[in-house]
Amino acid sequence: MEGQKQTHQFKTEVRQILNLIINSLYSNQEIFLRELISNASDAIDKLRFKSQTEPGLLGDDPEFSIKIKPDGITQTLEISDNGIGMTFEEVMENIGTIAKSGTAQFLEMIKQAQSEQSLTPELIGQFGVGFYSAFMVADKITLITRAAGVPKEQSVRWESSGDGSYDIQYADKEKRGTTITLHLKKKEKDELDFTDQWQIRRIIKQHSDFVAYPIRMDVEKEIPIPDQELIKDKDGKPIGETKRRVVEEETINTMTAIWAQPKEEIDDKTYEEFYKHLSHDWNPPLARLHMKLEGTTEYDMLLYIPSKAPFDMFQPERKHGVHLYCKRVFIMDDCKELVPEYLRFVKGVVDAPDLNLNVSREILQQDRLVMNIRNNLVKKVLDLLTDLKPEEYEKFYAEFGPVIKEGIYTDHNKREKIASLARYKTTKSGDKWVSLDEYVKNMQPDQKEIYYITGDDLNALINSPLLEKLKDKSYEVLLMADPVDEWAMQSLHEYGGKPLKSAEKGELEPDKKDDAKREEFKALFGFIKGQLEAKVKEVKASDRLKESVACLSGADYDMSAYMEKILKAAGQKPPEVKRVLELNMDHPVMAKIRALYEKDRQNTALKDYSLLLYDLAVVAEGGKLENPARFSKLVGEMMNQAIGA
Ligand code: ADP
């Protein structure tokens, strides 16, 4: 019985993705099969997990498998699984839409990359295009699926030629699971024949050998005809055929759980294929960690660091990549309990034979064994990163730096270790990245603190007037232009025994006061403060400035200007913190303003100068003027006067 057929348009982003896949990945067509087999294996994983609490779901079909059927006559390739299947709504949601948030931005990025001729499979690989990759080889795909536990009339048939729309209707499917039929495109001269069983066998061996469920195919074979069935002549010699062709179902993959194998027996290629299967990432991993722990608790761990950050790294709903197994049986994917957020890029498998199998997620969090594994995993991953070669680490940091730095304020036990993995540009580093260890090593003999400054623009930071005196003394300053740095610096008060100090807060040189000079400026500063009452909490002599005339700073525990900006951008209303206007007593213009003030306290220009000094400080830090038009007009008038004189 078939239901009414409905036709739906693909969402725009699906159409864009399809175009991208078809146009950019065809040199590596065969991996569509890996993607479909991975999906099938995931669907079985999901059912297996669910059946732990609902054993009835397995019905009379308890043996999991994936079946591949190439057919040269109809030019089709069929991939079937008896996994969890999909309901009508799930098909609508999963196939034909891309539900992942951030897709639009991702596509925008791809578009830009494309115009710069740098669109590579790496980029699209970040996305994990999965199912749609089958349109590289098929001009029509039919998917029939029946969700576990639903009556057969609620099966669903989905079909599309990948050209913008798909048909969907209720259908009948005898057994649970999903069958995907690819109607193969006409093969070009050099292209692979995906109905050739040897080709299929090779592709499965190469990309999917370790899939945990049998991947079966009907294989045509020649077998010897048994002796008693042979036709023989009078001398007992066989006449005619001695072999016959039969079709036999064969399991193609070895299903080896590679994490449980000794390292020496696994080659790089196999490690890489396993990673791709597991992560749905198309790029090879940057590094891996494979270890067996023996002792009071035993477990295997095979972890990977990807080479590229997924495009949705900062989407809260994205999945973590560590799968939990028990004695080689899949328990759950996305095991957040094993991996802290700041290592959410790590992919891999943990297999713990002693795990209590009736775990629920809530219990898992408090499970002693799980906590033990988590601690060890964190330690090993941080060690692995510490030991990467500098050029590899640089690649890692460019992708995941902002993520790992989250650990500085979320993992108090590992704070210093994680801080040692952070890298910064500095006032002296040029294009290089500098670690805190290097910074400390290069400190000036009289320098006691580690200086840093935060903001959103490296260029503005490096030129900030707040750094003039520090630069003059040859003190290096860390330039922190990443929002997470703000949070990190609120937790990291010292490193290697040296206090960290913001260049925009508190006193830089409390003991170097020129009190006589300060006294001379006291009255003028009081006047300026009066003019700027609503804007600043204090006007004072600066110990930061050398060339510039004005800057804004904060007290030691004030929120930084950048933090205020971040919070506002996130739609929050941080408490208004008035800042301190610092003025450079050594700047000639300050002496002139003071002279004018002393001569004629009523002079109206003094008010303008006060406002201008404040505006100059705002402009210097890349801030927004309250009244840019007034600023521009005043400066224009002054230029006129200056040139006239
Ligand atoms: P991904 O696998 O990266 O999520 P896909 O486009 O390959 O992306 O698949 C989208 C979704 O469709 C999957 O997340 C899954 O929910 C569903 N799906 C795909 N193939 C199957 C299958 N064989 N059985 C059940 N669900 C499937």
Side-chain angles (χ1 to χ4, degrees):
M1 188 198 73
E2 299 221 323
Q4 183 88 37
K5 182 156 51 174
Q6 308 174 4
T7 302
H8 294 270
Q9 297 301 311
F10 279 130
K11 290 267 171 355
T12 331
E13 58 287 1
V14 176
R15 252 177 285 162
Q16 289 170 315
I17 290 273
L18 273 172
N19 277 335
L20 275 170
I21 296 169
I22 293 168
N23 294 320
S24 67
L25 291 176
Y26 57 83
S27 58
N28 209 358
Q29 279 185 334
E30 67 185 40
I31 48 182
F32 81 89
L33 190 56
R34 175 187 78 204
E35 296 299 307
L36 296 184
I37 290 175
S38 284
N39 280 351
S41 152
D42 290 348
I44 299 175
D45 279 346
K46 281 181 201 154
L47 179 60
R48 173 172 241 162
F49 183 55
K50 214 168 164 198
S51 69
Q52 278 170 21
T53 45
E54 287 175 68
L57 283 179
L58 299 184
D60 58 359
D61 188 9
E63 199 205 329
F64 296 118
S65 72
I66 298 168
K67 178 110 194 208
I68 312 288
K69 275 194 200 153
D71 185 333
I73 296 171
T74 55
Q75 279 298 305
T76 55
L77 177 65
E78 201 180 279
I79 296 104
S80 312
D81 65 68
N82 58 353
I84 197 155
M86 285 178 272
T87 63
F88 195 94
E89 288 71 32
E90 284 165 342
V91 175
M92 292 280 287
E93 226 169 82
N94 295 332
I95 315 274
T97 339
I98 292 182
K100 295 171 190 164
S101 47
T103 304
Q105 294 103 291
F106 171 74
L107 286 167
E108 192 46 45
M109 191 183 90
I110 290 245
K111 243 194 247 161
Q112 284 171 7
Q114 213 167 10
S115 56
E116 289 163 19
Q117 294 296 310
S118 63
L119 181 70
T120 55
E122 272 145 60
L123 261 184
I124 185 106
Q126 275 171 276
F127 195 79
V129 283
F131 177 78
Y132 301 103
S133 62
F135 279 110
M136 285 192 292
V137 299
D139 47 24
K140 188 166 83 180
I141 299 179
T142 312
L143 172 149
I144 298 182
T145 183
R146 176 172 164 195
V150 311
K152 74 171 182 182
E153 313 81 75
Q154 286 178 31
S155 310
V156 186
R157 182 174 196 277
W158 177 101
E159 190 166 83
S160 172
S161 308
D163 52 3
S165 69
Y166 61 89
D167 296 332
I168 184 167
Q169 66 199 111
Y170 280 108
D172 279 347
K173 185 174 184 298
E174 278 308 315
K175 295 207 160 203
R176 155 198 95 219
T178 303
T179 296
I180 295 173
T181 309
L182 308 183
H183 306 266
L184 296 166
K185 284 185 186 169
K186 226 178 144 77
K187 188 169 88 67
E188 304 279 326
K189 210 166 71 221
D190 307 331
E191 285 177 345
L192 297 178
D193 177 1
F194 296 112
T195 61
D196 172 8
Q197 65 181 43
W198 291 102
Q199 201 60 263
I200 296 290
R201 178 194 288 272
R202 177 194 61 79
I203 299 172
I204 292 173
K205 280 299 234 187
Q206 184 171 337
H207 300 291
S208 311
D209 192 51
F210 32 67
V211 166
Y213 309 102
I215 305 172
R216 301 204 170 112
M217 183 164 68
D218 291 335
V219 179
E220 232 185 277
K221 282 184 179 165
E222 280 198 331
I223 55 163
I225 299 173
D227 193 60
Q228 63 275 22
E229 291 175 28
L230 285 175
I231 306 167
K232 296 174 184 168
D233 64 12
K234 61 179 179 357
D235 302 329
K237 278 205 176 151
I239 327 173
E241 301 290 335
T242 55
K243 289 183 176 162
R244 80 169 146 241
R245 298 184 80 75
V246 293
V247 174
E248 257 180 19
E249 192 179 67
E250 204 181 289
T251 297
I252 297 170
N253 55 329
T254 58
M255 294 181 271
T256 17
I258 77 165
W259 61 86
Q261 304 260 100
K263 274 199 261 195
E264 310 74 59
E265 290 174 20
I266 312 167
D267 58 22
D268 288 348
K269 200 72 210 144
T270 308
Y271 274 124
E272 183 177 322
E273 289 295 349
F274 181 66
Y275 167 76
K276 289 180 172 172
H277 160 72
L278 198 73
S279 65
H280 293 242
D281 184 354
W282 298 46
N283 304 308
L286 182 75
R288 65 165 186 262
L289 177 78
H290 185 185
M291 50 190 292
K292 181 182 243 14
L293 268 111
E294 280 157 342
T296 40
T297 56
E298 284 184 14
Y299 51 92
D300 294 301
M301 202 147 81
L302 172 55
L303 304 174
Y304 297 88
I305 311 289
S307 53
K308 279 256 163 216
F311 79 105
D312 58 351
M313 194 81 239
F314 290 95
Q315 303 291 346
E317 66 279 15
R318 74 173 298 281
K319 286 188 162 192
H320 288 215
V322 174
H323 296 219
L324 184 62
Y325 280 72
C326 176
K327 299 194 190 79
R328 302 182 196 189
V329 172
F330 172 84
I331 308 293
M332 64 175 83
D333 61 6
D334 187 23
C335 188
K336 293 192 168 75
E337 291 72 14
L338 282 178
V339 195
E341 277 283 314
Y342 68 92
L343 296 180
R344 60 185 176 274
F345 49 83
V346 174
K347 311 261 177 196
V349 168
V350 169
D351 189 335
D354 300 331
L355 205 70
N356 172 7
L357 264 184
N358 298 317
V359 283
S360 71
R361 292 227 141 155
E362 296 71 55
I363 296 171
L364 206 60
Q365 259 171 16
Q366 292 134 38
D367 190 277
R368 286 259 317 272
L369 176 58
V370 171
M371 289 196 301
N372 180 322
I373 299 176
R374 176 184 164 114
N375 284 336
N376 201 27
L377 182 150
V378 169
K379 185 174 173 310
K380 297 292 174 194
V381 171
L382 295 180
D383 287 345
L384 171 76
L385 294 172
T386 308
D387 296 339
L388 282 182
K389 291 196 206 92
E391 55 293 2
E392 303 249 283
Y393 188 72
E394 218 159 272
K395 279 189 215 151
F396 163 81
Y397 197 75
E399 295 292 323
F400 301 107
V403 182
I404 189 124
K405 279 192 287 187
E406 290 172 13
I408 298 177
Y409 57 90
T410 56
D411 188 344
H412 299 290
N413 295 323
K414 295 274 186 307
R415 189 189 292 146
E416 183 119 346
K417 173 88 180 165
I418 299 165
S420 77
L421 288 164
R423 299 287 182 272
Y424 304 96
K425 295 276 164 64
T426 79
T427 42
K428 295 183 176 180
S429 69
D431 289 339
K432 266 188 52 202
W433 291 96
V434 171
S435 69
L436 288 169
D437 288 315
E438 283 170 85
Y439 179 99
V440 169
K441 214 171 69 205
N442 293 331
M443 278 167 74
Q444 297 299 313
D446 62 336
Q447 185 185 344
K448 296 188 185 64
E449 293 164 311
I450 300 174
Y451 295 101
Y452 68 90
I453 184 164
T454 58
D456 55 2
D457 177 41
L458 270 183
N459 206 30
L461 287 181
I462 198 164
N463 293 309
S464 167
L466 294 163
L467 310 184
E468 287 171 0
K469 274 279 171 66
L470 293 170
K471 284 184 189 164
D472 192 45
K473 300 172 74 150
S474 247
Y475 288 180
E476 188 169 16
V477 183
L478 302 166
L479 308 171
M480 302 189 174
D482 186 339
V484 308
D485 293 326
E486 276 290 351
W487 276 273
M489 287 307 112
Q490 286 180 13
S491 293
L492 189 71
H493 300 299
E494 57 169 55
Y495 184 83
K498 310 270 187 235
L500 274 112
K501 169 114 182 106
S502 164
E504 65 170 309
K505 291 187 200 169
E507 307 262 340
L508 279 193
E509 296 180 306
D511 26 304
K512 274 212 177 163
K513 287 203 173 81
D514 185 346
D515 287 334
K517 197 155 186 187
R518 277 173 204 247
E519 202 48 44
E520 288 171 18
F521 276 90
K522 203 169 160 196
L524 172 64
F525 286 180
F527 169 84
I528 297 175
K529 167 85 191 340
Q531 301 303 311
L532 300 172
E533 199 67 66
K535 298 188 187 352
V536 301
K537 67 175 166 198
E538 196 186 341
V539 176
K540 69 173 192 188
S542 179
D543 53 10
R544 289 168 230 270
L545 297 172
K546 188 152 184 293
E547 293 95 29
S548 300
V549 62
C551 68
L552 291 166
S553 67
D556 271 324
Y557 296 103
D558 280 354
M559 186 183 291
S560 75
Y562 185 40
M563 183 66 130
E564 202 178 317
K565 198 165 163 184
I566 296 172
L567 293 178
K568 282 184 179 157
Q572 295 187 32
K573 285 202 187 73
E576 278 308 321
V577 190
K578 284 193 198 166
R579 313 209 15 234
V580 176
L581 177 65
E582 295 195 6
L583 298 169
N584 183 354
M585 296 186 298
D586 298 325
H587 197 287
V589 83
M590 285 315 299
K592 287 184 185 160
I593 298 176
R594 189 170 69 102
L596 179 65
Y597 175 74
E598 258 141 41
K599 208 170 91 199
D600 175 11
R601 297 191 175 205
Q602 307 307 318
N603 194 316
T604 51
L606 286 169
K607 189 175 173 200
D608 286 344
Y609 294 155
S610 304
L611 293 173
L612 260 183
L613 285 169
Y614 176 77
D615 283 355
L616 288 174
V618 173
V619 169
E621 66 178 23
K624 258 176 101 165
L625 293 178
E626 220 167 75
N627 190 343
R630 185 197 60 206
F631 175 78
S632 163
K633 211 166 117 232
L634 268 176
V635 173
E637 277 167 22
M638 286 180 171
M639 279 165 75
N640 182 35
Q641 284 164 20
I643 296 169

